Structure formats: C-alpha cells, structure tokens
Amino acid sequence: MISVAVGRSIAGYRLVEAIGRGAQGEVWLAADAGQPDVLRVIKLAAPREAGTSRSRFLHEARLGQAVVHPNVVRVLDAGEADGQLYLVLELIDGPSWRSIIRAYLARRSLIPAPAALGMVADALRGLQALHDAVDADGVRLGFVHRDLAPKNLMVDRCGRSVVIDLGIARSTLRDERTATGVLIGTPGYMSPEQVRGERVDGRSDVFAMGAVLFELLTLERLIPGGSLAELVAATETDNYRPVTAVRSDVEPHVEAAIRRAVRLAPADRFSSPGELAAALDAAPIVEGRRQVTEIAAPLPATVP
C-alpha cells in the first residue's frame, strides 16, 4: 500500500482524489501546482513493485516522448520524488469504451454503427502512430501495445478517441522478457499467438482492435471469458460469428474487414492498423461519438 492521502503534493502535483488502486500502485486525480484549475492523472508505483514498475513507468514515459499524437494519451511528466515513482498523464474527460458498452447494454440498445466506426478509426490512427514510432536514430521501435481492450480506449467529451495505458507495451526501448507461464494482456482480446506465449508483432494489436470493434457493434464478446485452457482452445478453432447475425446495418466491407482482422493466423490478417482503417473506410463522425459519450456519462469513466 502507498502511504499517500488527499492533499499531499508529489513533485508539484496535489493529490485530489483516488480513482484506482491495484497491486502495482495507485492512480489519482491531481492538480498541477502551476495550473491549479487543471487536473491531471498521476500514477504512483507501489514500493514492492518498484522493480517492475520502474521499468514500465520509464518505458511508458519514453514512449510518450517518442509519440505525440492526438489519439494517444499524452505523458506530461515522470520521475521520482521522496522515493515515490510517479507518472503524470493528461486527463481524458470522458468515458472508457468499457463504460460505453455497459451503458448500451443497460439500455438494451446497440451502439450506432457510424459512431462505433468513428471511434475505432480514431484509435487506429493513434495505434498506427505508435507502430510507426522511431528512436533517435530513425530506427522503428517495434511497438506492440499488447493490452488493447475496451478498458484501455477512451472517448473525450469532444468525441476524440484515445489509446491509453502503454505500461505493458513492447518496444526496443525496453528489454523485458515475460516469465514463462505469465499471461500479459486482457483475456478475450489477446491474439492467439499472445495467448500461446509466442512473440507478437503489430498484427497482434490488429486482432485486438478487430475483437473490440466486434464488441462495439454487437455488445457481445468475440471470445467469451474463461479459463486459460478455454482461451488456448479458442486459438485453435475459428468460431467467428458474423456481426450481421446481430444487426443488419453493417456494410459488407465492414464485416469483411472485421473478419480478416481476427483471423487466427497473423499472416491472414491486415499487416497494420492503418490497413485495417483503410478497409473499414470509416470517416470521422464526431457528433455520433459525442452522443455516445453522453449516454455513457452516468457511468464511472475510466482514466489512464
């Protein structure tokens, strides 16, 4: 447990409200001492997780410096103060996609297809920027997010979708090996190769975005939750259920794009988020996305 409380200042950021706690640390709303009316999100690493968290925090900070894009959460500050490792991020003033899905499930109505496609088009642009990121020598970083799920995608009040939580991403900025038998990611959105513990590339993120889009349009999980054995079994059998079995307002090219994105074999998928975006042919539809955020507003919003 971290010994912090409301009102404490860390590196010039005053803690306002705790918004999340876990084994690896805490997440707070914080006010910037230089701009008291501006709220930020500050992540604090748990002391016992300092070794792993230090690597992840520094990696997330370095990625934030390497990639500045409107559809990727901005890393504003990072460091260590009085022995406390911290990471400061922009506050996304809106709900997570998970909250949006829950809101529509409660209403027993489907998310408008244009809004869902606009949300995904935004996220794919941000994801492509991450995949295209290069180091100081112009060499690609080989970025893979590895945890694209509705909890790590958000929409602000203006309708802008944002990819958040780069903490377990893989890139050449960090050389970290995953322990044998340790599954990193969110079950139900991980690609077959990720579930099997194999090395992943950008096509794994394409699979995850396909699974997320399927859920936005159907309000059903592409791969239902279950045990590790059930997840592994799902990587061996293609049980794709057409989106058009749930709704009739999805264009054939959208169905075909989702189908290709979630193919079991990486070679059968789109090679990049940008290629998937082009296949969806989803033009930004801001108003539709604003309506979606308003519907989800009564539910708690997830922040990075």
Side-chain angles (χ1 to χ4, degrees):
M1 183 65 67
I2 301 173
S3 299
V4 295
V6 172
R8 177 181 169 182
S9 290
I10 296 177
Y13 299 94
R14 181 175 54 83
L15 303 184
V16 175
E17 180 184 352
I19 52 178
R21 288 186 171 91
Q24 294 184 4
E26 299 181 359
V27 183
W28 287 73
L29 283 178
D32 188 332
Q35 305 177 75
D37 295 332
V38 178
L39 290 177
R40 308 295 191 193
V41 173
I42 185 167
K43 289 184 177 182
L44 306 176
R48 68 183 180 206
E49 297 289 335
T52 300
S53 292
R54 179 181 296 276
S55 172
R56 289 181 177 175
F57 272 49
L58 294 178
H59 184 236
E60 190 165 357
R62 294 179 70 186
L63 277 173
Q65 294 168 350
V67 180
V68 179
H69 191 277
N71 301 119
V72 177
V73 66
R74 286 185 296 142
V75 176
L76 304 173
D77 193 8
E80 189 170 356
D82 299 325
Q84 176 63 66
L85 200 63
Y86 68 91
L87 180 67
V88 181
L89 306 167
E90 69 170 313
L91 172 65
I92 309 301
D93 183 21
S96 70
W97 292 14
R98 179 169 62 182
S99 292
I100 291 170
I101 290 168
R102 288 176 175 174
Y104 274 88
L105 281 170
R107 290 166 57 95
R108 297 185 180 181
S109 62
L110 294 171
I111 298 172
L117 290 171
M119 289 161 59
V120 170
D122 261 7
L124 289 171
R125 281 189 283 272
L127 189 58
Q128 186 64 58
L130 288 163
H131 282 204
D132 289 340
V134 298
D135 64 16
D137 297 321
V139 178
R140 291 188 69 161
L141 298 177
F143 174 92
V144 187
H145 190 286
R146 300 199 297 180
D147 198 18
L148 289 165
K151 66 180 182 179
N152 288 332
L153 295 155
M154 301 187 68
V155 184
D156 69 14
R157 299 300 173 182
C158 294
R160 171 185 62 126
S161 285
V162 181
V163 178
I164 69 168
D165 203 343
L166 311 181
I168 70 167
R170 198 204 73 202
S171 85
T172 57
L173 292 176
R174 178 181 62 179
D175 182 16
E176 179 183 70
R177 296 183 181 275
T178 303
T180 302
V182 176
L183 200 63
I184 289 185
T186 301
Y189 305 95
M190 293 182 288
S191 66
E193 61 271 25
Q194 188 174 356
V195 171
R196 293 192 296 265
E198 300 170 359
R199 187 171 180 80
V200 299
D201 60 25
R203 294 171 297 182
S204 184
D205 284 347
V206 168
F207 179 96
M209 287 304 301
V212 171
L213 177 54
F214 178 92
E215 186 170 353
L216 286 176
L217 291 172
T218 65
L219 300 183
E220 298 175 3
R221 296 279 290 272
L222 176 72
I223 302 174
S227 66
L228 177 57
E230 290 171 318
L231 286 174
V232 172
T235 70
E236 299 172 347
T237 307
D238 189 346
N239 291 321
Y240 179 78
R241 307 180 305 282
V243 173
T244 49
V246 176
R247 59 192 302 165
S248 60
D249 61 341
V250 172
E251 298 290 339
H253 73 276
V254 173
E255 179 80 84
I258 298 171
R259 181 72 188 90
R260 182 176 171 188
V262 299
R263 291 285 186 184
L264 299 185
D268 294 334
R269 300 179 205 140
F270 296 104
S271 63
S272 68
E275 190 177 356
L276 171 56
L280 290 172
D281 190 27
I285 306 171
V286 175
E287 290 304 320
R289 285 177 280 162
R290 285 178 179 164
Q291 179 185 10
V292 164
T293 62
E294 290 168 3
I295 289 173
L299 293 177
T302 302
V303 296

